[in-house]
Amino acid sequence: MSATPARQLAGDPAAAKSAANEHLRLVLLCQREVRSTDEVLSRFWSILSPAFESLEECTRTAERCFHAGAYSAFWQAIEESGVHLSLITDNLDGFQFAIHARARMDRRLATELNEPTTESPVSMAMVSDIAIGARSASDRIDRLVARAQTDFKFAAIYEQRRANAILIAGFNDLGAAIHSLSDTLSSKLDEVIRSIDGASYRADLASNRASERSLEANMMLDNIQHRQPR
């Protein structure tokens, strides 16, 4: 409740009660939307987190197979890494949308309703740590594919597997798919990190401003009550 309404409602108990009920209704509605958005964030994270881990595992397998000259196993690991890359990039947009929705709810709670915000189920630290690993894995996979395609034996085995190779993200060529998906992943991860970082900063700033306004309103009400005749 801002300072001006507090001054106006101090002498009107009925209006004050009505405003308090409306305020409570809006707070409960906003908190329900926050919980719903948190569920969406958690669902996306339950998809993304294991996909990030699987991408790293496939990358390590591909590296081992490349150095061991295990041609078929190498391309199998590359194909599987492409599946994980595609899964991650397909879900990052929705994940980022949920982050923005959560930030809007936090700002409304703090700036419009003067209410505290809750911690998001997905933190900046969680995403940053896993994003570093995912970007590293996708870059390594991209470089491995480029090297393998210039090696006669790896390239020959790849051509034999092309007929049975899975299609990824609409690409007919696995190398092109891996390269494009790696670039897309890096770009989208940057956007997600900026979104989380910006949302955290704005939420903290809004919360601080809300606390200041709430304190000012309470002090004003206190002053008005002390000035009233006994």
Side-chain angles (χ1 to χ4, degrees), residues 43-222:
R43 284 199 299 271
F44 272 116
W45 190 246
S46 70
I47 296 171
L48 290 169
S49 183
F52 284 133
E53 294 175 2
S54 296
L55 174 62
E56 175 61 29
E57 183 179 344
C58 287
T59 302
R60 292 178 181 176
T61 299
E63 289 170 336
R64 289 194 301 269
C65 292
F66 182 84
H67 294 300
Y71 311 118
S72 291
F74 169 79
W75 287 116
Q76 179 66 34
I78 293 297
E79 291 171 6
E80 290 176 2
S81 71
V83 172
H84 298 307
L85 277 170
S86 182
L87 178 64
I88 292 168
T89 55
D90 286 347
N91 282 278
L92 280 177
D93 286 337
F95 184 60
Q96 185 178 10
F97 181 83
I99 291 170
H100 285 307
R102 179 60 148 81
R104 286 195 300 272
M105 292 300 100
D106 283 347
R107 286 197 300 274
R108 188 179 185 194
L109 276 170
T111 61
E112 297 179 23
L113 302 172
N114 295 338
E115 293 291 329
T117 58
T118 57
E119 185 176 350
S120 171
V122 180
S123 69
M124 177 70 177
M126 292 166 61
V127 176
S128 295
D129 288 345
I130 212 162
I132 292 172
R135 187 177 287 111
S136 170
S138 66
D139 288 345
R140 283 149 52 207
I141 283 289
D142 194 20
R143 291 194 299 270
L144 276 174
V145 170
R147 290 179 62 187
Q149 288 180 324
T150 61
D151 183 288
F152 172 75
K153 292 180 180 179
F154 277 99
I157 297 299
Y158 171 61
E159 289 300 322
Q160 294 175 16
R161 294 174 57 89
R162 284 187 70 173
N164 297 324
I166 55 176
L167 300 181
I168 301 171
F171 290 90
N172 292 320
D173 181 81
L174 180 61
I178 293 295
H179 182 72
S180 178
L181 288 170
S182 295
D183 286 347
T184 301
L185 174 65
S186 180
S187 175
K188 287 189 175 184
L189 283 174
D190 287 340
E191 292 177 4
V192 167
I193 289 174
R194 283 195 297 270
S195 295
I196 294 179
D197 195 28
S200 298
Y201 170 76
R202 289 190 296 269
D204 289 343
L205 184 62
S207 182
N208 289 337
R209 289 176 176 173
S211 296
E212 292 172 359
R213 285 197 301 273
S214 179
L215 178 61
E216 291 173 357
N218 288 335
M219 291 176 62
M220 182 170 295
L221 281 173
D222 186 61

